[in-house]
Amino acid sequence: MYKQIKNILFKLNPEYAHAIALTLIKFVNNLNLTRLFFKNTPSQSFPLLNLIFPNKIGLAAGLDKNGDYIDALASLGFGFIEIGTVTPKPQKGNPKPRLFRLVEHEAIINRMGFNNKGIDYVVNRLKKTKYKGILGINIGKNKDTPNEKAVDDYLLGFNAFWRYASYITVNISSPNTPGLRALQEKESLEQLLSALKNAQANIHALKNKYVPLVVKISPDLTDAALEELAHVLLAQKIDGVIATNTTIHRDITHAHANETGGLSGKPLQDRSTDIIKKLAGLLNNRIPIIAVGGIHDEASAREKLNAGAQLLQVYTSFIYQGPSLISKLALM
Ligand SMILES: Cc1cc2nc3c(=O)[nH]c(=O)nc-3n(C[C@H](O)[C@H](O)[C@H](O)COP(=O)(O)O)c2cc1C
């Protein structure tokens, strides 16, 4: 079924096709017809971050930036859903075109640039959501916020979303917001994470809710930068790491290969696994790892778990393969 729909969708421009696909999934869910089209996902509970995940396959950030499709996406059987990246103020993102399919490689290049409707809109969506499962909310900074003031933007995100989030992801690894990745460097990272840990402790003390803080990192870190980053994560007692975001490197040839932006999908697989292996060695089981980057079948999912990850997320392969992928990977 997804194959037929995909044949039509892939004839349209990618950004438009994403919007139509999400609207379709929502429409089917609203009519309570999801089970007619998609298989039930087997569940195998897995405890992590003080939460019980119904399976290890989550949806990565970026597909549902504004929380418009949470109930519909959850109906497809994901063990957890991550929405965002959300910035304090709404922003349009980069000019179009900014999303490119590299079909032969089952890959995508995007330079969306955190297009999103901002915190207030997303909080309103969350109030209307019926989903009771595990929800990650991924936060970022506005493009026009200088890095010296980035902490303020992330605190706005944390303070707006703690009530609704099972965990909050601190995104400092998108290649499409100029300067964002510099927040992964020691001093900026210490400053950012200690402010967020304070906010987390305050909410824990005042509201008796501990919201795990998870940091999403780039696949393009050097060994030295990764080592320094791991030390900061440990020192700050961060609850989890998502590895990885998209890469700016290109080890492929394709008509779109030179488009600026982050590459995801199959060509990201090895780079992401390599970072996870190194990170697992540095963290030594003291911080759990959520793997993302090029997971597209059982073997690539198993590879991430063997590298040291506890949970998995997908984005690009979900676009290429559709919902059947989820049930295939749910029993890992
Ligand atoms: C079109 C697109 C938009 C994305 N937007 C975000 C985002 O807003 N925030 C984020 O943390 N990651 C974002 N990502 C990165 C994904 O969450 C994921 O880390 C990356 O694509 C690697 O996984 P994959 O190979 O399974 O796609 C985006 C990816 C794509 C393809």
Side-chain angles (χ1 to χ4, degrees):
M1 177 75 180
Y2 186 74
K3 263 197 191 128
Q4 282 91 35
I5 297 174
K6 184 181 145 187
N7 283 341
I8 302 168
L9 289 176
F10 270 46
K11 291 198 171 71
L12 307 171
N13 97 53
E15 200 167 336
Y16 188 50
H18 280 202
I20 293 187
L22 286 168
T23 307
L24 258 175
I25 293 170
K26 190 167 181 168
F27 181 70
V28 170
N29 183 53
N30 285 348
L31 294 177
N32 257 327
L33 295 177
T34 308
R35 287 283 75 80
L36 208 64
F37 293 105
F38 308 118
K39 266 203 284 186
N40 239 331
T41 309
S43 83
Q44 183 162 278
S45 299
F46 184 78
L48 200 79
L49 301 171
N50 275 332
L51 302 163
I52 307 285
F53 290 76
N55 65 58
K56 288 186 190 168
I57 303 299
L59 175 66
L63 187 62
D64 187 5
K65 299 221 183 232
N66 302 302
D68 285 321
Y69 304 98
I70 299 172
D71 293 328
L73 287 163
S75 75
L76 301 179
F78 284 111
F80 58 114
I81 306 265
E82 189 169 314
I83 63 163
T85 298
V86 189
T87 57
K89 289 178 290 170
Q91 59 180 33
K92 288 205 165 82
N94 289 318
K96 296 176 187 172
R98 52 191 181 178
L99 184 60
F100 306 88
R101 292 187 202 104
L102 291 73
V103 177
E104 300 83 342
H105 297 284
E106 215 175 277
I108 290 175
I109 290 176
N110 92 84
R111 52 169 176 269
M112 304 299 285
F114 288 172
N115 56 310
N116 78 103
K117 295 181 178 168
I119 284 176
D120 291 348
Y121 176 91
V122 177
V123 165
N124 270 322
R125 291 301 316 158
L126 292 167
K127 284 181 183 159
K128 296 187 181 119
T129 297
K130 296 192 193 94
Y131 179 59
K132 294 278 177 278
I134 295 180
L135 180 70
I137 304 183
N138 180 309
I139 56 174
K141 73 164 194 78
N142 279 110
K143 185 181 176 186
D144 62 8
T145 302
N147 274 12
E148 307 80 73
K149 295 236 164 73
V151 173
D152 300 348
D153 276 14
Y154 286 92
L155 283 175
L156 283 170
F158 184 88
N159 288 322
F161 292 131
W162 65 265
R163 197 183 294 277
Y164 309 97
S166 311
Y167 68 88
I168 286 186
T169 302
V170 184
N171 183 9
I172 44 173
S173 51
S174 165
N176 301 315
T177 294
L180 191 84
R181 286 179 164 194
L183 296 175
Q184 295 176 120
E185 290 161 17
K186 188 169 185 282
E187 258 173 46
S188 318
L189 189 62
E190 278 170 349
Q191 212 192 347
L192 174 63
L193 297 185
S194 67
L196 285 166
K197 284 300 284 186
N198 267 337
Q200 180 193 49
N202 276 342
I203 293 300
H204 191 202
L206 292 173
K207 306 286 182 184
N208 199 25
K209 185 175 181 200
Y210 184 84
V211 187
L213 277 170
V214 173
V215 174
K216 184 161 179 179
I217 67 168
S218 154
D220 301 328
L221 294 162
T222 61
D223 287 355
L226 185 66
E227 193 175 335
E228 204 167 69
L229 181 138
H231 286 146
V232 178
L233 299 180
L234 287 166
Q236 295 292 334
K237 298 195 165 44
I238 286 303
D239 301 285
V241 192
I242 299 183
T244 67
N245 215 312
T246 55
T247 178
I248 56 169
H249 289 279
R250 303 287 188 267
D251 307 321
I252 45 165
T253 42
H254 190 278
H256 290 316
N258 290 330
E259 291 292 348
T260 302
L263 173 70
S264 59
K266 280 185 186 173
L268 174 61
Q269 181 188 339
D270 291 351
R271 184 175 285 276
S272 151
T273 303
D274 190 43
I275 286 274
I276 291 165
K277 255 188 216 152
K278 289 175 183 158
L279 189 64
L282 293 163
L283 297 177
N284 203 8
N285 282 328
R286 284 169 290 176
I287 302 180
I289 300 171
I290 301 172
V292 57
I295 297 169
H296 62 276
D297 60 7
E298 282 103 325
S300 51
R302 179 62 53 204
E303 177 186 286
K304 293 286 199 271
L305 297 173
N306 290 341
Q310 279 76 36
L311 292 170
L312 309 166
Q313 287 182 327
V314 291
Y315 186 139
T316 304
S317 59
F318 176 62
I319 300 293
Y320 279 93
Q321 298 181 38
S324 65
L325 178 76
I326 309 162
S327 46
K328 232 193 281 176
L329 301 183
L331 288 182
M332 297 302 298

